[in-house]
Amino acid sequence: MIIEDVSSFPETGEIVPNRKYVKDASFARTLVCGPHILFDHIASSLGLKQALHRVFPAKAETILTCAYYMLSEGAALSRCEQWSAGALTPLGGRLGDQRISELLEYLTRDRQMGFFDLWVKTSAENDTYALDITSISSYSNEIGIVRAGYNRDHENLEQINLALLIGSKTFSPLFYSILPGNINDRSSLKRFVGTVNSLGFKGFRIVMDKGFCTKGNIDILYMEGMKFTISLLNSLKFASEAVSEAKDSIVQFKNYRQVMGSKVFLTSSLKDWNGHRCYTHVYFDETKKQNDIERFMERLLKCRGVLEKGEAVPEKDRPFSETYFTVKETPKRGRKVISNEKAISEYREKDAGFLVLISNCEKDPVKCLEVYRSKETAESGFDDLKNDEDLRRLGVHTEGRMGGKVFIAFIALAIKMEMNRVVYSDDELKHRSVQEIIDELTLLRCTFIPGRRRPFTTEPTKLQKTVMRAFGVGSDFAADLPEPADEPEIDSSADE
């Protein structure tokens, strides 16, 4: 060992490093990587990642980073910057709030339609797509299409309406459209169907509930050449005649079936709808009858209470109120609410427990009921979209940013629905929630060391291994992990 006498060195005031010091040294970084590994695998297997790169080559990684954040945290996008600093992301670095705002403004509807034009062509044409509309509340008074309307979450806020198509077999969302908050389900169908057809997506079947049931809407579906299944309102003459025709003979054992866990009596006939073939299926369920009556009586109580107080009946309840109640005002006795006992009795005896479905493509009444119940996929998808992906109340204040945020949530939903499909069909995972699985994956970390080709990862837990196996992620998943960027924030604002 050589010992140098430093006492003879001149004093210059400079710091002289020893031989162990390395200028501009890089340090190891440990990041949460489990969610990225799974989400990226799913996005690739769905063709989602490829479609985004094709349509938004300079923005795809930023879009995916925001979508992965929504899936991981379910919190406001304003917190994405902190999350991206400690997690492995498609973008590879911290994503600042300003860059997110610019991305939301960039994702105009015209640019989104370029994506949907490609996305619908990758979807299964033999699937049945459930259509439903939900309301999303907003605090903003600066967005033109945020209006007062019937709020399905019963919140005292103005809203937008969101129409969504989700596959009942693939669990894949196909398309969505934002509608003004004061447009009801029935009046919006023609516009929505026209938009879907303009994408050139043909041959799929659509299933709708009573919210879309008008004679005009059904005529539109026939006119557009769409394959459909729809539930009829009992008040529609076509439906009431079908129930009257089937009522006396439907409750026979030969008509008894078990369909998706419930037991029903059913009958079917081929009828004419303005010159078109119409398979008409009538179902009667004893359990449904009791539930229908309970809901009916509860609605009667609430309606009578509103009328007795002299309050205004909500617009959606006015036909119901006028059918079952008469209000009389006298100088001496004041307001008196009289119930229509004959109409109430007719509902209990005639309508309760019955369901009428019509279809131009489902001849088998059992299959038709299964298809109709698949609309729960859309309803579940809306719950995921609003509750988990930060959309219950829109926190943005411009229409451009609102559209961008909903689009990112749609990307997140596509991944989430595929997770639902795999988890619920796997014997080892079906008793666990998707959120529980995501939380478990956040415990998987990777450490990147400068000069080393591949990172170190923590030892996967038993559940993490089970998840990776169920989704087809290889055991050597750390080999292809992208190394994170060194810069503190990624600039994603460049135009394409």
Side-chain angles (χ1 to χ4, degrees), residues 342-471:
K342 181 179 179 181
I344 293 172
S345 178
E346 285 180 353
Y347 173 84
R348 291 170 59 96
E349 296 301 322
K350 180 180 177 182
D351 295 334
F354 283 93
L355 171 68
V356 179
L357 300 179
I358 64 170
S359 176
N360 63 350
C361 58
E362 297 295 347
K363 182 178 180 179
D364 182 355
V366 172
K367 178 63 176 177
C368 191
L369 184 57
E370 290 175 345
V371 166
Y372 177 69
R373 289 181 176 174
S374 72
K375 70 183 177 62
E376 295 174 0
T377 305
E379 294 166 357
S380 174
F382 276 128
D383 289 340
D384 287 344
L385 193 65
K386 292 199 296 183
N387 299 335
D388 294 345
E389 271 77 63
D390 181 34
L391 282 184
R392 179 166 288 278
R393 298 177 183 86
L394 288 169
V396 293
H397 297 283
T398 69
E399 190 164 337
R401 292 183 183 181
M402 176 197 69
K405 185 175 183 180
V406 175
F407 179 76
I408 292 172
F410 177 88
I411 301 302
L413 179 62
I415 298 171
K416 181 71 172 287
M417 295 298 286
E418 176 64 7
M419 288 189 68
N420 287 339
R421 186 190 69 79
V422 173
V423 169
Y424 297 152
S425 62
D426 187 273
D427 290 339
E428 295 186 66
L429 295 177
K430 62 184 179 182
H431 299 299
R432 296 182 181 272
S433 70
V434 168
Q435 189 56 54
E436 182 181 357
I437 289 172
I438 293 174
D439 291 342
E440 179 71 15
L441 290 174
T442 61
L443 302 177
L444 186 61
R445 312 295 172 94
C446 57
T447 300
F448 294 87
I449 300 175
R452 181 178 174 84
R453 186 183 65 83
R454 57 183 294 172
F456 291 106
T457 62
T458 55
E459 180 64 25
T461 65
K462 181 180 178 180
L463 178 55
Q464 290 168 356
K465 291 178 181 178
T466 301
V467 171
M468 298 300 184
R469 173 201 55 76
F471 284 89

Side-chain angles (χ1 to χ4, degrees), residues 248-262:
D248 293 337
S249 60
I250 193 171
V251 184
Q252 300 183 47
F253 182 72
K254 66 179 181 180
N255 299 326
Y256 200 46
R257 301 287 189 278
Q258 180 166 328
V259 184
M260 297 178 71
S262 65

Side-chain angles (χ1 to χ4, degrees), residues 297-358:
M297 300 302 286
E298 182 66 25
R299 190 178 181 189
L300 286 173
L301 283 174
K302 291 181 179 179
C303 188
R304 184 174 66 183
V306 170
L307 293 172
E308 288 177 341
K309 292 177 183 178
E311 298 175 353
V313 177
E315 183 178 353
K316 67 182 181 65
D317 291 327
R318 286 175 190 169
F320 180 86
S321 172
E322 293 169 358
T323 299
Y324 297 107
F325 294 101
T326 301
V327 179
K328 292 186 176 181
E329 299 274 3
T330 62
K332 292 184 178 180
R333 297 182 180 180
R335 170 177 288 259
K336 187 175 182 180
V337 179
I338 304 171
S339 57
N340 185 339
E341 296 297 337
K342 181 179 179 181
I344 293 172
S345 178
E346 285 180 353
Y347 173 84
R348 291 170 59 96
E349 296 301 322
K350 180 180 177 182
D351 295 334
F354 283 93
L355 171 68
V356 179
L357 300 179
I358 64 170

Side-chain angles (χ1 to χ4, degrees), residues 223-321:
M223 181 176 63
E224 295 290 340
M226 298 192 70
K227 297 178 181 179
F228 69 89
T229 295
I230 187 170
S231 173
L232 298 187
L233 290 167
N234 292 337
S235 58
L236 199 66
K237 183 179 178 181
F238 190 96
S240 63
E241 290 179 350
V243 170
S244 297
E245 181 182 309
K247 185 178 179 182
D248 293 337
S249 60
I250 193 171
V251 184
Q252 300 183 47
F253 182 72
K254 66 179 181 180
N255 299 326
Y256 200 46
R257 301 287 189 278
Q258 180 166 328
V259 184
M260 297 178 71
S262 65
K263 298 178 178 64
V264 299
F265 294 94
L266 55 84
T267 185
S268 181
S269 60
L270 180 63
K271 297 184 181 298
D272 176 83
W273 184 285
N274 289 344
H276 300 284
R277 179 181 60 184
C278 179
Y279 296 113
T280 305
H281 309 296
V282 180
Y283 307 87
F284 177 73
D285 183 342
E286 291 281 3
T287 302
K288 181 179 184 298
K289 179 176 182 177
Q290 296 303 316
N291 293 336
D292 285 351
I293 291 175
E294 288 180 12
R295 285 193 294 269
F296 175 69
M297 300 302 286
E298 182 66 25
R299 190 178 181 189
L300 286 173
L301 283 174
K302 291 181 179 179
C303 188
R304 184 174 66 183
V306 170
L307 293 172
E308 288 177 341
K309 292 177 183 178
E311 298 175 353
V313 177
E315 183 178 353
K316 67 182 181 65
D317 291 327
R318 286 175 190 169
F320 180 86
S321 172

Side-chain angles (χ1 to χ4, degrees), residues 93 160 184 201 375 414 481:
I160 64 168
N184 62 39
F201 190 73
K375 70 183 177 62
L481 291 181

